[in-house]
Amino acid sequence: MKLVEHYNYYKRIYDEYMKFDCDSAVYYAGLCRKVAADAKMSSLGVSALLDQLYVVVISGETFESQRLMKMLPSDIVNMPDDIRVKYAITMLEYYMRVKMDFFWDKKSVVSLSGQEAWNKYSRYIPDNMWQKHYYESQLTKHDVLEKLLADINVTQMPSVKAAMLYVAIAQQYKKRGGNDYKEKCFRYLVLSAINDIMCANRESSSLLFIANSTFVCAGTERAFNYAMLCTENARNFKDQSRSFFIVNAHAKITRAYQKRLETNLMVCIVIVVLLVIAVVIVVLLMINVRKKRRMQASLLKQIEEVNVSLAASVEKEKQALEKYKHSNDLLRDEIAYHNENFISVYQLVTKYIADVQAFKKSLFNLITSGKIDKARKELKSQTVAESYLQNFFEHFDKAFLSSHPDFVERFNKLLRPECAIVPPASDRLTPELRIYALVSMGVTDSVSIADFLHYSPQTIYNYRLRVRHCACIPEKDFADTVARMYSDD
């Protein structure tokens, strides 16, 4: 039982080394053979020998392959089923790699030995195994594309199995031909190479197929990188069979690159000659230009002086025009403002005259009709006077705020924040604001303000006193500060 455990341990290591190190794989296959011989398990010994043979076959070691072939038992029929399958797969791989002259760009047909090998050993591989479809595509002319596509659909990615199937699918498309076969071939070869690289598989046919095919333009960095990776794989995997094809790939790429260099050299020579001619022409032109520049230097200096003088004159003229324009705009605005106030005042006076005439007519009608008491009552009523006064205040407020739109903001800055006065509307003033509006225009004594606003002097005094108590500056300076509100601008 312990020997069986050793055998299984060495077999697992062999399976891992199969991807990237053939020497180590062969070594551990040999250990498996030794353990099998010690345990006298002949079937396991044959299995280990087949593992060794498979590695040296895919590495291209022809003589070692033939030596190990002689050690295999010839009676495959009586072997266990699993050993028989492995035996058949190994022999098909041997005939495909050693006995056949078959490669991607080779146009030769499948050799007789490959067909004979398929006829001899394919019967031992179950029909549902992907290896049977794979070797059928490699060793015969049969079209097994549909089988391979079905196999790839159930294959884990990435895996060496997927890489092998993708290569076989690409070859099937190449055999079929057609308008789009090149695109499909290249696509499946790339997928095969991706799986090889992701699985760390050094035995990657797809990269070498790509490098030797017409899918990659020879002489490019891409082709060079493919060839170098194939070289590295062959060196690390000890793949002697690929060496000849890698040399061919390098030779083709090198020739194409050399031809490209020669073409580039010719282009460079032409460019250099053209550059030399251009330099000579430029030198001659520069000499001619220098002569002309010397002649033009004095003229340019004179022109610059004239330009400076003209620029100064133009700038002065421009400034004068801007000043005149600004003055005209101010004068136009001032005239419009005065016209508006003029019309507003005379409209107020006209309305007052009309209202007085209407009032007189009303009184006359009352007296004529004998309603003396009612006429006397109308004369004593203050309603009409109040109406006229409110109309007067409205016109005064609008006229003042149109010429002093920031008065309320300036005035409130002289008061404590909690005492700020808010007007009833954007074009109306409160009595306090109206009083100090007159102060800002130079009407500072309370009697004159009372006469103007038709208030009593005491009322004016009370308003002014109440506002001064809210000032954020000394109260004794408040009236003077408001009086200088616009004179200081």
Side-chain angles (χ1 to χ4, degrees):
M1 183 62 67
K2 190 172 182 180
L3 290 175
V4 173
E5 291 178 358
H6 286 173
Y7 181 91
N8 292 333
Y9 173 74
Y10 294 144
K11 183 65 169 64
R12 286 196 298 271
I13 297 177
Y14 162 81
D15 291 337
E16 293 301 321
Y17 273 121
M18 268 291 295
K19 297 178 181 179
F20 55 89
D21 191 338
C22 61
D23 288 345
S24 297
V26 169
Y27 173 76
Y28 281 98
L31 291 180
C32 288
R33 285 181 60 194
K34 184 177 183 304
V35 171
D38 293 342
K40 296 182 180 180
M41 295 180 291
S42 60
S43 60
L44 291 181
V46 173
S47 178
L49 178 59
L50 289 171
D51 287 337
Q52 277 187 307
L53 178 59
Y54 187 83
V55 175
V56 296
V57 165
I58 63 176
S59 300
E61 298 184 19
T62 306
F63 296 109
E64 181 65 13
S65 300
Q66 293 174 350
R67 185 183 72 83
L68 293 175
M69 285 280 290
K70 295 177 181 178
M71 301 173 63
L72 284 175
S74 58
D75 186 13
I76 185 174
V77 178
N78 295 323
M79 292 181 181
D81 290 343
D82 56 336
I83 303 298
R84 191 162 49 197
V85 172
K86 181 181 288 190
Y87 190 105
I89 290 174
T90 303
M91 295 308 297
L92 291 176
E93 187 73 26
Y94 173 79
Y95 275 91
M96 186 179 73
R97 297 211 179 225
V98 178
K99 294 294 185 179
M100 295 176 60
D101 183 18
F102 179 77
F103 204 69
W104 181 260
D105 277 348
K106 295 288 185 179
K107 303 300 182 182
S108 60
V109 297
V110 178
S111 65
L112 181 62
S113 59
Q115 183 67 52
E116 290 176 349
W118 171 255
N119 295 335
K120 181 178 180 180
Y121 293 106
S122 62
R123 71 188 69 176
Y124 302 112
I125 304 176
D127 292 337
N128 60 349
M129 286 188 67
W130 65 271
Q131 288 94 334
K132 186 164 187 176
H133 309 148
Y134 171 76
Y135 288 111
E136 185 177 4
S137 70
Q138 301 295 307
L139 297 170
T140 72
K141 297 180 181 180
H142 302 165
D143 188 334
V144 292
L145 179 59
E146 302 304 326
K147 296 179 182 179
L148 294 171
L149 291 174
D151 290 333
I152 199 66
N153 287 334
V154 295
T155 299
Q156 180 182 354
M157 304 286 177
S159 64
V160 177
K161 172 185 174 182
M164 295 172 68
L165 287 173
Y166 278 134
V167 168
I169 292 171
Q171 290 172 328
Q172 287 292 298
Y173 276 115
K174 184 174 184 295
K175 289 178 182 179
R176 282 190 175 186
N179 296 329
D180 59 345
Y181 88 92
K182 289 185 177 181
E183 179 182 351
K184 292 181 177 179
C185 284
F186 185 60
R187 175 174 178 267
Y188 285 106
L189 286 177
V190 170
L191 290 174
S192 175
I194 291 172
N195 276 268
D196 279 331
I197 292 171
M198 294 181 69
C199 295
N201 182 29
R202 298 287 187 177
E203 198 279 311
S204 54
S205 303
S206 48
L207 276 177
L208 190 54
F209 289 166
I210 293 173
N212 274 282
S213 70
T214 57
F215 301 142
V216 178
C217 181
T220 62
E221 183 179 358
R222 184 182 183 188
F224 174 78
N225 290 335
Y226 281 154
M228 290 304 297
L229 187 55
C230 290
T231 303
E232 180 183 349
N233 284 343
R235 181 178 65 251
N236 292 335
F237 197 67
K238 305 297 188 298
D239 192 347
Q240 300 175 10
S241 63
R242 301 279 172 89
S243 301
F244 175 72
F245 298 106
I246 294 173
V247 170
N248 287 342
H250 273 290
K252 181 174 65 173
I253 293 170
T254 303
R255 283 195 300 271
Y257 188 69
Q258 185 177 7
K259 185 176 180 180
R260 182 180 175 187
L261 288 179
E262 291 173 356
T263 303
N264 291 342
L265 180 61
M266 291 299 298
V267 172
C268 289
I269 291 173
V270 172
I271 292 174
V272 170
V273 171
L274 293 176
L275 286 175
V276 171
I277 295 173
V279 169
V280 172
I281 294 173
V282 169
V283 170
L284 294 175
L285 290 175
M286 288 181 63
I287 293 173
N288 190 28
V289 168
R290 288 186 64 183
K291 290 180 180 179
K292 290 183 178 180
R293 289 180 64 183
R294 288 173 184 172
M295 294 173 61
Q296 294 173 352
S298 59
L299 293 175
L300 288 174
K301 187 175 181 181
Q302 295 175 8
I303 292 173
E304 287 177 358
E305 292 174 355
V306 174
N307 286 339
V308 171
S309 177
L310 288 175
S313 300
V314 170
E315 185 63 27
K316 289 180 181 179
E317 189 71 21
K318 184 178 179 181
Q319 291 177 359
L321 289 174
E322 290 292 335
K323 188 180 295 183
Y324 293 149
K325 182 180 178 182
H326 182 65
S327 299
N328 288 336
D329 292 341
L330 291 178
L331 181 60
R332 190 182 302 108
D333 293 341
E334 188 70 20
I335 292 172
Y337 171 71
H338 285 299
N339 288 339
E340 184 180 352
N341 284 342
F342 179 82
I343 295 298
S344 178
V345 170
Y346 278 93
Q347 283 179 344
L348 180 62
V349 172
T350 300
K351 185 176 184 304
Y352 176 73
I353 292 172
D355 290 343
V356 169
Q357 289 176 346
F359 183 68
K360 286 172 63 179
K361 185 177 179 180
S362 174
L363 289 177
F364 179 78
N365 291 334
L366 290 173
I367 294 171
T368 303
S369 62
K371 298 178 180 179
I372 304 301
D373 293 336
K374 190 173 182 179
R376 186 182 295 111
K377 185 178 180 180
E378 287 290 332
L379 287 173
K380 289 182 179 180
S381 175
Q382 296 294 324
T383 304
V384 176
E386 286 293 330
S387 174
Y388 287 135
L389 192 57
Q390 289 301 320
N391 194 14
F392 168 72
F393 288 160
E394 181 179 348
H395 280 78
F396 173 80
D397 293 348
K398 290 182 178 179
F400 179 78
L401 289 173
S402 66
S403 59
H404 303 83
D406 61 343
F407 171 75
V408 177
E409 182 182 356
R410 289 192 180 199
F411 186 77
N412 280 327
K413 288 182 179 179
L414 302 177
L415 304 178
R416 297 193 300 276
E418 68 273 12
C419 298
I421 300 174
V422 180
S426 60
D427 58 348
R428 296 301 304 273
L429 298 172
T430 64
E432 296 91 340
L433 292 173
R434 200 173 292 120
I435 291 168
Y436 279 100
L438 292 172
V439 174
S440 71
M441 292 191 294
V443 185
T444 58
D445 63 289
S446 297
V447 176
S448 299
I449 296 173
D451 291 340
F452 187 87
L453 298 178
H454 298 278
Y455 290 157
S456 68
Q458 185 60 42
T459 300
I460 300 300
Y461 176 80
N462 291 338
Y463 274 130
R464 295 182 68 172
L465 180 63
R466 186 163 60 246
V467 173
R468 282 201 306 270
H469 287 338
C470 297
C472 61
I473 62 175
E475 293 185 21
K476 62 184 181 64
D477 299 330
F478 189 77
D480 291 339
T481 302
V482 176
R484 296 194 306 272
M485 183 177 291
Y486 289 102
S487 61
D488 292 340
D489 289 349

